[in-house]
Amino acid sequence: MPLKRYKVAPLPFQGQKRNFVKPFVGTLKELSQSQDIKVVVDLFGGSGLLSHTAKRILPGCKVIYNDYDGFSARLRNVERTNELLTDIRALLCDYPKEKRISEAYKSVILARIEKEEKRGFVDYITLSSSLLFSAYYVTNFDELKSSTLYNRVKQNNYDVNAAEYLYGLEVVKCDYLELFNQYKDVTGVLFVVDPPYLTTDTKTYLFDQYWKLSDFLNVINVLDQSNFVFFTSSKSSLIELCEWLNVNHNIKNPFENADLKTHETRLNSDSKYIDMMFTRIIEMQKAS
Ligand SMILES: C[S@@+](CC[C@H](N)C(=O)[O-])C[C@H]1O[C@@H](n2cnc3c(N)ncnc32)[C@H](O)[C@@H]1O
C-alpha cells in the first residue's frame, strides 16, 4: 500500500522543510533514474518530513531518520496532547480568540498542564502553537509559566493516525557525525543534510545553543566525498564562504557543479531571503 502523503509534519516543528517537499521529490525521482540509491540517511532529521518523503518516493530504499529532538515521542503521545488541548479549549470556550489570556484564566490552564506533567508527558512545542504568540516556543513548564499566553487554541485535534507518518523508517537518535561515520562507506548512500542555520533560533531543538561557524564548517567536512542533498539559506553566508576559500586558498568547494533549487520567502516589500537545496552526486552510477 503506498504511504499516505504528508506535505507538512503532523505536529508543529520549527524549520521543517515544507517548502522543499516538491523540489525534493523531483530531485529524488530524477536521481532514481540514473543512480542506484540504496540508503538515504537524514542526518538532521528534525520533524522527519524529508525522511518520510524519501521513503514515499523510494520505497525500496532503507531510510534512516535521525530523530535528534524526539519528534517521534511527540507523535506517540498525540492522543494525550489532543486530550489536553480539548480541555484547554473547553476552559477558553467563552474567551475571545487571539486575545491575551488573563492571569485568572492562565492559572487554571497552567494547573491543568501541571496535572498532565505529573502523568509523565507534555508536548510543550505543540502547546506553544496554541498558547503563545506566533512563532514563539517554549520547551518546559517554567518557561510557559513565565510567558504571556494568547488564546490561539487550534479548533481541530491533531491527526491521531499520524504514527504512520514514520512508517518504514529506521529511527535513530545520535549526533550527526556518529551517524555519518556509520554510513559513509556504504555503497549507494545519499545523505540528506539540513543542519540548523547559522544564527537560527534553535531553542526548540535538543541542541539549544546557537550554531556557531565552526559547527557549520564541521558539517562541510562531511560533504567532502559524499553524495548529498544539502539545505541552507541566504541568511547564512556559507556558500559565499566556500567560494571565497576556493578562490583564495584553493580549498575544494563542495557546492561547485552541484544542482541548485531555491525557494524565495518575502518578509516585506524590501526584504527577502532565499532557501537553497544543493544536490551533488559523485558515485553510484546505475549499471545500464
Ligand atoms: C533545520 S532542522 C532540520 C529540519 C528537518 N529537515 C525537517 O524538515 O523537519 C535541524 C535539526 O538538527 C538538529 N540537530 C542539532 N544539532 C544536531 C546534531 N549534533 N546532530 C544531529 N542533529 C542535530 C536540530 O535539533 C534540528 O532538529
Side-chain angles (χ1 to χ4, degrees), residues 37-66:
I37 306 171
K38 290 189 166 60
V39 189
V40 176
V41 184
D42 190 0
L43 291 177
F44 299 88
S47 69
L49 186 61
L50 297 174
S51 295
H52 162 82
T53 306
K55 189 68 191 173
R56 189 166 63 74
I57 302 304
L58 306 173
C61 275
K62 177 167 164 167
V63 178
I64 318 290
Y65 162 39
N66 190 8

Side-chain angles (χ1 to χ4, degrees), residues 9 23 25 46 50 61 102 229 242 273 277:
V25 165
L50 297 174
C61 275
S102 68
V229 182
C242 289
Y273 64 88
M277 179 178 101

